Each structure stands twice: as C-alpha cells, then as structure tokens.
Amino acid sequence: MLIRLKDKSTLMLLGHLQSRTFYQTATARLQFTTRNPDRSPLIFIKPTMPRFYCNEPMRVGLQLTLPDAVARHVQVLRLAVNDVITVFNGKGGEYSAALISVEKKCVKVELKAFSAREAELSHGLTLAQGLPEGTKMDWIIEKAVELGATAVQPLAASRSVVKLTAERATKKMEHWQGVMAAAAEQCGRNRLPHLAAPAEFSQWISQQDLHRRILLSPRGTQSLSDWARHHPAQALTIIIGPEGGFSEAEEAVAISHGALCLTMGPRVLRTETAGLAALAAINAIWGEL
C-alpha cells in the first residue's frame, strides 16, 4: 500500500503507524521512497508477520487453540484461514503458525516450523525498581523489556508512595506480566524476563546475590558509564529508588551488603528515567546496541 505524504493529517497518520500501538495491532513496517523528486514522497507500507505470545507447550505439527486475548487480536487484524503468524511461549525460539480455523470465539493454528532465533543480551541485567506512583511502573517494565532486561524486581522503599497489599500485589503481577508479553511481542524477544514478587527493600537487599549490585544515587562518586568502560560485560543488578530516591539509611544498608554506589552524572533523573537510561548506557558501552 502506498501513501502520499501531502498534508498534516497524513503526518499524524504516520505518527500513529510508527507507534507501539500500530505494531501490536497491524504489524507493518514503513519504507520511504522518493521516486519523483518533484512530487510528495511516497510511503510504502510492507506488512510483516504478526507475533503473539502464548503461554502453551509448543512443538512442530501441534494444533493449538489460541488464548482468548490473542484470538480477539487475530480477529481485529482480520486475519483469515491460511494466514501465517508467529507465536512464542517465552521459553526460547518461535514458531510460524498457519491459521486453520477462525471463528467468533475460537481461533486455531497449526505450528509449521520452529526458529531458534533469539534477541537476548549476552549478560543478565536485572532492574530492581523502587515502586513509583501511578502507572509509571507499566512504562518502566515495558521499556526494560525492550532494552533487554532479564529480570525485574519491584521494591517497596521507605519513600515509596504506593503500598501494595497481598491481594493488590497479585493483581499487579498479573498486569505486569501482560505488559511484559506485549513488549516482547513488539520488540522481537522470544523470552520473557523474570518478574519477581514485590519485596521490601530492607529484606531484599540483605539477601545474598551472586551478581554485582549497583545502586544508582546522586551521592555516588563514580559514574556508571565510567565504571562500565573499565569492566567486562557481566551480570548486573541495577537498583533504582522511587520518587525522592532511597533514604541515606537505605543506601548505607545497601553499601554494607556489597552494593556499589554509582551516579548517572550531574543531572538528577526521574525514577522512570534512571533505570532505563542505565540499561541503555550499559548496553551501548558493552556493545549490545
């Protein structure tokens, strides 16, 4: 399909097409061409194979009934019998699957071929994030998945505004798992990061960890980027405070348990920015971007 770039409304449409929502609902790529320099540029929209996460055992030849949410997505995209999609179960690799039945409340596929393709980092990165207010955690988790985080640990710190009861924590975990799955569909990962249950910071930091833990704080004396440039790629846990950061007492406890206190530079970053900036910086320095 070709779209001629003429006016502001078309620009707004292209902005929507390039958004996360579009990739999840229509899975297309945009290619720009200027065949005739005297006319408006043409935009060629090239469909690609939709990707869906299905938490089911998979093998080539298996006929699989898609989960209700995925089935609704297939119908929204108006896919038909014999159309091919990609499915993965988060345990590694992906399958091409042909639609064999598309009904109002039931969609079935047959798994045709397996690909061992992966898009994982060469080292594990855990984001230990102090619980922020509102829906910021959704954003943080989504982008952490896109940046390759292998695990996310929500932390309740002394300055956390959000207080989760056991029931609310369970509901949040289910919601965040869905955010992770949607992010993996969009970014091409075939493995879902591990989502740990929310924990009290004081209890979590006292546990032994085989990986180096880095506490990001304005009070650090060395920058994360400087440290990363002088160390080989390795498994890390990045610890980020909530709004207002960790208290001095919490930072002291973390350091006493072996955490390395580093800074993100002279600017103070928001809690929803700091962890993602740290993941991106580490990936860039260690050759993963």
Side-chain angles (χ1 to χ4, degrees):
M1 178 172 64
L2 290 174
I3 297 177
R4 187 168 299 284
L5 187 59
K6 288 184 177 180
D7 51 32
K8 188 176 296 185
S9 61
T10 306
L11 285 170
M12 293 175 64
L13 171 62
L14 291 176
H16 172 66
L17 295 182
Q18 291 177 306
S19 70
R20 166 181 172 272
T21 301
F22 182 78
Y23 281 125
Q24 290 186 354
T25 57
T27 56
R29 303 290 181 190
L30 303 182
Q31 294 181 352
F32 291 77
T33 179
T34 53
R35 296 178 190 164
N36 188 340
D38 298 326
R39 302 183 66 188
S40 302
L42 292 175
I43 313 302
F44 177 64
I45 301 179
K46 180 181 180 182
T48 58
M49 195 179 298
R51 285 172 42 85
F52 299 106
Y53 168 72
C54 301
N55 186 21
E56 301 285 347
M58 295 182 182
R59 68 176 187 278
V60 173
L62 178 70
Q63 292 188 0
L64 183 68
T65 299
L66 298 181
D68 292 344
V70 176
R72 286 194 296 271
H73 204 161
V74 167
Q75 291 162 349
V76 167
L77 293 179
R78 298 185 178 182
L79 299 179
V81 172
N82 294 327
D83 284 345
V84 178
I85 63 175
T86 298
V87 294
F88 63 102
N89 61 7
K91 297 176 175 60
E94 61 189 16
Y95 292 81
S96 58
L99 298 178
I100 58 176
S101 175
V102 180
E103 300 176 3
K104 187 174 181 180
K105 294 185 178 180
C106 181
V107 176
K108 294 182 179 180
V109 299
E110 182 175 347
L111 305 186
K112 295 294 188 179
F114 174 75
S115 170
R117 184 192 66 82
E118 295 291 352
E120 299 302 300
L121 301 178
S122 60
H123 50 277
L125 284 180
T126 296
L127 178 62
Q129 173 68 51
L131 287 170
E133 61 182 358
T135 59
K136 293 178 181 178
M137 194 66 174
D138 292 9
W139 164 268
I140 293 169
I141 289 176
E142 177 186 86
K143 301 310 174 187
V145 173
E146 294 178 18
L147 288 167
T150 50
V152 175
Q153 171 65 69
L155 295 174
S158 62
R159 293 175 179 166
S160 292
V161 176
V162 175
K163 306 297 181 183
L164 297 180
T165 62
E167 180 180 0
R168 192 179 175 198
T170 299
K171 292 181 179 179
K172 282 289 188 181
M173 288 281 288
E174 293 175 356
H175 173 71
W176 291 333
Q177 286 283 7
V179 172
M180 280 187 169
E185 289 176 348
Q186 183 273 325
C187 73
R189 290 183 66 176
N190 287 324
R191 295 181 184 272
L192 296 190
H194 171 68
L195 177 62
E200 291 290 335
F201 175 78
S202 58
Q203 297 177 359
W204 175 81
I205 196 65
S206 64
Q207 299 172 0
Q208 291 187 343
D209 195 332
L210 296 177
H211 304 154
R212 177 177 287 279
R213 292 186 287 194
I214 292 179
L215 174 73
L216 293 182
S217 168
R219 288 183 280 270
T221 57
Q222 183 183 18
S223 71
L224 174 67
S225 57
D226 181 61
W227 179 88
R229 280 192 290 267
H230 293 88
H231 289 81
Q234 58 188 279
L236 292 178
T237 296
I238 304 296
I239 309 172
I240 306 295
E243 291 92 349
F246 291 114
S247 67
E248 290 190 26
E250 286 173 324
E251 290 190 356
V253 170
I255 293 171
S256 70
H257 284 93
L260 178 63
C261 187
L262 299 177
T263 180
M264 286 296 293
R267 291 165 298 281
V268 177
L269 303 182
R270 292 178 180 270
T271 184
E272 66 269 31
T273 306
L276 304 179
L279 293 177
I282 289 171
N283 285 341
I285 293 170
W286 286 348
E288 294 286 354
L289 286 180

